Amino acid sequence: MAAPSVSCGAAVPYRLFLAGRVSFAREQGLWKAAASGLQTGTRCQILRLKHSPAVTTKKNVAALRRESYTVDFIKKQIEEFNIGKRHLANMMGEDPETFTQEDVDRAITYLFPSGLFEKRARPIMKHPEEIFPKQRAVQWGEDGRPFHFLFYTGKQSYYSLMHEAYGKVLHAEEWQDQLRAKGLFSEKSKSKDPIGSRWLIKEELEEMLVEKLSDQDYAQFIRLLERLSALPCDAAEEEFVGRFRRTVTVQSKKHLIEPLQYDEQGMAFSTGQGKRKTANAEAVVYGHGSGKIEINGVDYLLYFPVTQDREQLMFPFHFLDRLGKHDVTCTVSGGGRSSQAGAIRLAMSRALCSFITEDEVEWMRQAGLLTTDPRVRERKKPGQEGARRKFTWKKR
Amino acid sequence: MAAPTLKVSRGWSGLALGVRIAVLRLPGLTQVRWSRYGPEYQDPQIDKEYYRKPLAQLTEEETYERELRKTQVIKAAPATKTSSVFEDPVISKFTNMMMKGGNKILARSLMTQTLEAVKRKQFEKYHAASAEEQATIERNPYTIFHQALKNCEPVIGLVPILKGGHFYQVPVPLAEQRRRFLAMKWMITECREKKPRRMLMPEKLSQELLEAFCNRGPVIKRKHDMHKMAEANRALAHYRWW
């Protein structure tokens, strides 16, 4: 029974590590990823992050050469992975046929509980495609002649892609001329949704082609694709362009808006929580009121003697033109006066989301009222007086 | 922030929208300034009127801008900014520059007292003046403040440029931001240093503001001195390469 090949280590960043290894060395890098590969592949692939001193000796340079995995090796890994998945399913008492990757992840976290903080250092079991970096098979035959006609350009996939794209552009232009000649050409402006999708970025293109590109290459390619998309194309060309577009998420969809709750008197209310630095606040906003705000049982005028804090409390209501219309009761603890005010502001804004339309929620989000401020106190570092301040420099 | 930010320009029709590229790592350079926000976070737009504008009145650019912002992550609004009508960015900046040791409460109270003092002085003048003069006296302290600072802004500045082992003071046109900063800085230093011992800051500051409003006073003199120096060093202007 082959043991399930559990790999510890970084999946995607491994590739980045390998790709960037040479530049890291030049950078007098602190971190180097040394993969002690057990090429027989029966047991774990262990990825160790080594902290090496600043100087790179000749000895280290040899170790930086990329590890190459043969096609057979990868195939064997995939087989082992599939067998291992079935074994895992049996172990967990589930049906091996419908065992998905999420189930695998859950099973591994259950069987190998890890207290490590670094998520990438925890045990993972993923498809070998995600773990081993994509590499090109040998590009030439037994006689030494390369397979691809553009091999000697150095970037064969890129140039063949450009070649293909340009062919499509010519074809589309020909088609356009034919339409014009027949008089059937209409100035149809491409009403592509400007925000729904984006071109893929350089890193994604490099990943797709398994080749390094320069910024100019990438820019050239995108220009060509823009030109192609501006012309009238048929389904095949649309599909070709679609391969290079990725969807962009609309941020506001990520917020869940709580429905309104009702208390015994029938008054609508909503709760919200907010944090700022070390202050935690919870606010209850009532649907009808006169603009009273009560904090920890005390009126806001007494709790916040400083104008700036009271302005912060007023901000969400003033922004939505609902200044005297809601009553608020909140509790806050921790932090200082300014962070307590910020926490209450966030809690109130979140509670208010239940009372307003979706558009207004989006406006609040764009005004920065619904984002938790991630800024926290920076720690003091050893060898310095504070977080940034260094000790006084003395010449002797 | 040292990390490069992605700027979306219209020409790329959505290139790299909302995508976080790993920070540029150049060999031999370490990043010293960083932020808790990633490079993809955009600054919040607090102005209420921007959102209340009906969709029909928006130009194409603005519609695109709106659509774009829906996909971006936004930073939290800072604690000093609100949508209040009483808030003024110039006053806030000036208050921050006056602040010492993080004592914003004191700085803000000094600012309000200054504006009150300006208003009181102007009202006294108003009531003591005849009817024709009353029309010319400006009583709004905010307009006086803005106008005074604008009058103090230098147009051209001097920059020390190293050439042939010597530093020469070369006249150089100043950016808008730099001009505003210099005006405020001069005003504050003037009030701090030349104040009589028992006089309080609001009183001195209101005095200076009113004088600057009428294009008199030491801050205006300093601005003119700067201009004269620049005029005197006119011959060195060709040392500037930008």
Side-chain angles (χ1 to χ4, degrees):
Chain A
M1 180 183 93
S5 58
V6 174
S7 304
C8 317
V12 170
Y14 181 86
R15 228 175 284 150
L16 290 178
F17 272 130
L18 284 181
R21 252 198 284 189
V22 183
S23 61
F24 276 168
R26 261 192 272 128
E27 203 192 30
Q28 294 171 26
L30 303 173
W31 290 102
K32 271 194 217 107
S36 67
L38 300 167
Q39 287 291 349
T40 49
T42 44
R43 287 170 290 282
C44 303
Q45 295 283 328
I46 304 162
L47 201 72
R48 274 205 307 266
L49 286 170
K50 224 165 38 181
H51 178 96
S52 35
V55 178
T56 51
T57 56
K58 277 249 170 64
K59 209 162 36 126
N60 291 337
V61 169
L64 296 177
R65 230 184 316 116
R66 197 185 286 231
E67 304 279 355
S68 53
Y69 305 104
T70 53
V71 180
D72 299 323
F73 171 74
I74 298 280
K75 253 197 254 190
K76 209 154 127 205
Q77 290 290 310
I78 295 177
E79 275 167 27
E80 283 188 9
F81 172 75
N82 288 327
I83 294 172
K85 220 164 80 160
R86 295 186 75 90
H87 280 301
L88 194 61
N90 279 330
M91 267 192 261
M92 301 297 288
E94 302 202 19
D95 181 18
E97 303 300 328
T98 55
F99 207 55
T100 59
Q101 186 56 45
E102 284 157 16
D103 298 326
V104 169
D105 293 332
R106 243 183 312 116
I108 295 292
T109 36
Y110 173 71
L111 292 171
F112 298 93
S114 162
L116 296 173
F117 287 121
E118 177 64 63
K119 298 268 167 43
R120 293 180 292 182
R122 295 181 180 180
I124 52 168
M125 182 169 159
K126 292 222 187 302
H127 193 81
E129 291 279 292
E130 292 171 39
I131 296 187
F132 296 103
K134 263 203 238 169
Q135 279 169 347
R136 337 248 328 264
V138 172
Q139 302 291 317
W140 50 87
E142 299 236 331
D143 52 351
R145 271 195 81 196
F147 297 131
H148 204 280
F149 73 103
L150 287 173
F151 174 77
Y152 287 112
T153 58
K155 299 182 246 188
Q156 62 182 56
S157 323
Y158 169 71
Y159 283 113
S160 69
L161 187 65
M162 288 289 278
H163 190 65
E164 198 187 332
Y166 191 61
K168 291 208 178 336
V169 167
L170 289 177
H171 176 76
E173 282 180 345
E174 222 179 83
W175 178 244
Q176 199 183 40
D177 290 336
Q178 280 179 6
L179 282 181
R180 275 220 185 88
K182 287 189 199 158
L184 296 168
F185 180 72
S186 51
E187 274 300 336
K188 167 183 63 106
S189 58
K190 284 292 192 63
S191 59
K192 202 183 292 203
D193 181 16
I195 302 302
S197 57
R198 57 168 177 89
W199 293 120
L200 78 172
I201 54 169
K202 188 172 150 223
E203 276 76 13
E204 288 171 346
L205 187 61
E206 282 183 351
E207 215 176 308
M208 207 191 223
L209 301 176
V210 199
E211 233 174 34
K212 289 221 77 65
L213 298 175
S214 76
D215 290 326
Q216 289 86 356
D217 294 335
Y218 170 70
Q220 190 77 3
F221 179 62
I222 295 293
R223 249 177 267 148
L224 195 58
L225 281 179
E226 296 249 331
R227 201 172 139 195
L228 179 59
S229 63
L231 296 167
C233 350
D234 53 4
E237 279 153 23
E238 295 273 354
E239 189 258 326
F240 177 75
V241 171
R243 263 169 40 195
F244 302 104
R245 286 201 81 97
R246 302 276 179 270
T247 46
V248 179
T249 47
V250 178
Q251 291 299 326
S252 56
K253 298 283 188 295
K254 293 185 183 169
H255 289 287
L256 309 132
I257 303 177
E258 304 283 324
L260 277 176
Q261 294 161 16
Y262 292 90
D263 65 1
E264 304 90 47
Q265 277 85 29
M267 171 88 95
F269 73 95
S270 172
T271 43
Q273 296 195 322
K275 270 207 286 202
R276 172 90 216 270
K277 286 190 191 175
T278 41
N280 284 296
E282 192 180 318
V284 179
V285 176
Y286 293 96
H288 301 284
S290 56
K292 250 184 342 96
I293 304 180
E294 198 176 325
I295 306 161
N296 288 350
V298 177
D299 190 43
Y300 71 105
L301 198 55
L302 301 172
Y303 196 83
F304 288 124
V306 180
T307 326
Q308 186 184 299
D309 304 331
R310 276 176 274 138
E311 278 174 358
Q312 287 298 294
L313 295 191
M314 167 204 85
F315 186 7
F317 296 108
H318 181 256
F319 186 76
L320 298 167
D321 294 328
R322 284 166 178 252
L323 259 179
K325 300 194 185 140
H326 294 277
D327 258 350
V328 183
T329 316
C330 40
T331 50
V332 67
S333 62
R337 56 148 249 273
S338 181
S339 35
Q340 280 189 345
I344 299 176
R345 183 187 89 182
L346 181 61
M348 286 200 301
S349 316
R350 286 199 176 140
L352 269 176
C353 284
S354 316
F355 290 95
I356 54 178
T357 60
E358 267 188 35
D359 280 339
E360 289 181 306
V361 172
E362 179 60 27
W363 295 348
M364 281 226 286
R365 187 191 74 88
Q366 288 187 16
L369 281 167
L370 295 176
T371 326
T372 318
D373 205 325
R375 300 178 291 177
V376 289
R377 193 179 142 269
E378 201 174 312
R379 68 159 281 198
K380 178 195 170 318
K381 282 102 191 175
Q384 293 178 6
E385 189 160 335
R388 299 284 172 110
R389 166 138 168 90
K390 322 284 185 275
F391 288 123
T392 319
W393 181 76
K394 293 204 183 70
K395 199 157 178 176
R396 34 190 83 83
Chain B
M1 213 169 59
T5 45
L6 293 171
K7 293 214 169 44
V8 181
S9 54
R10 195 65 205 280
W12 289 110
S13 63
L15 170 71
L17 268 173
V19 172
R20 181 187 179 154
I21 292 182
V23 167
L24 197 66
R25 287 274 136 93
L26 297 170
L29 288 177
T30 33
Q31 212 175 323
V32 277
R33 255 183 274 155
W34 57 82
S35 160
R36 295 286 303 190
Y37 292 111
E40 68 273 10
Y41 276 81
Q42 303 296 321
D43 290 312
Q45 167 68 268
I46 300 190
D47 180 26
K48 257 192 339 183
E49 301 312 312
Y50 174 84
Y51 300 107
R52 297 290 191 270
K53 212 170 164 189
L55 286 164
Q57 285 182 13
L58 297 174
T59 65
E60 207 189 282
E61 291 274 336
E62 288 182 352
T63 340
Y64 181 79
E65 178 83 40
R66 294 278 174 108
E67 291 296 310
L68 186 62
R69 280 187 80 86
K70 282 195 192 151
T71 59
Q72 290 167 332
V73 260
I74 312 279
K75 297 184 193 173
T80 42
K81 294 212 1 149
T82 54
S83 56
S84 163
V85 287
F86 301 110
E87 194 191 292
D88 195 353
V90 185
I91 301 265
S92 311
K93 183 61 86 176
F94 196 82
T95 322
N96 286 340
M97 287 179 69
M98 269 215 298
M99 175 168 61
K100 269 188 181 174
N103 197 346
K104 180 75 84 90
I105 306 175
L106 181 61
R108 196 162 155 160
S109 70
L110 288 176
M111 197 70 228
T112 35
Q113 283 167 36
T114 311
L115 293 171
E116 191 193 330
V118 163
K119 192 163 179 178
R120 276 187 197 277
K121 286 184 189 167
Q122 289 299 89
F123 265 85
E124 273 174 25
K125 253 204 298 194
Y126 183 81
H127 292 311
S130 60
E132 314 82 53
E133 284 169 45
Q134 275 183 359
T136 55
I137 295 177
E138 176 61 55
R139 286 176 289 166
N140 187 351
Y142 291 95
T143 39
I144 293 180
F145 184 80
H146 288 151
Q147 191 55 45
L149 283 185
K150 221 185 295 208
N151 291 344
C152 291
E153 282 179 16
V155 166
I156 195 167
L158 294 169
V159 157
I161 290 187
L162 179 64
K163 194 147 173 122
H166 296 277
F167 280 98
Y168 296 104
Q169 295 291 325
V170 174
V172 112
L174 296 171
E176 190 64 45
Q177 184 79 323
R178 177 80 184 149
R179 282 195 265 163
R180 285 195 285 255
F181 171 78
L182 280 177
M184 290 197 250
K185 184 79 186 241
W186 288 345
M187 183 65 81
I188 293 171
T189 20
E190 169 65 40
C191 292
R192 279 181 184 161
E193 284 165 14
K194 303 290 170 47
K195 195 161 57 85
R197 201 173 71 88
R198 291 300 241 175
M199 194 192 268
L200 293 173
M201 183 68 162
E203 204 190 312
K204 174 73 177 169
L205 191 48
S206 55
Q207 219 174 51
E208 292 305 324
L209 282 172
L210 285 168
E211 290 198 339
F213 180 70
C214 307
N215 271 313
R216 305 190 287 260
V219 191
I220 300 288
K221 182 173 168 304
R222 187 163 173 184
K223 175 184 88 156
H224 289 323
D225 287 343
M226 170 80 109
H227 287 174
K228 280 188 205 142
M229 283 273 285
E231 184 64 32
N233 285 2
R234 210 172 46 191
L236 306 171
H238 66 282
Y239 283 174
R240 179 173 68 99
W241 62 85
W242 63 89

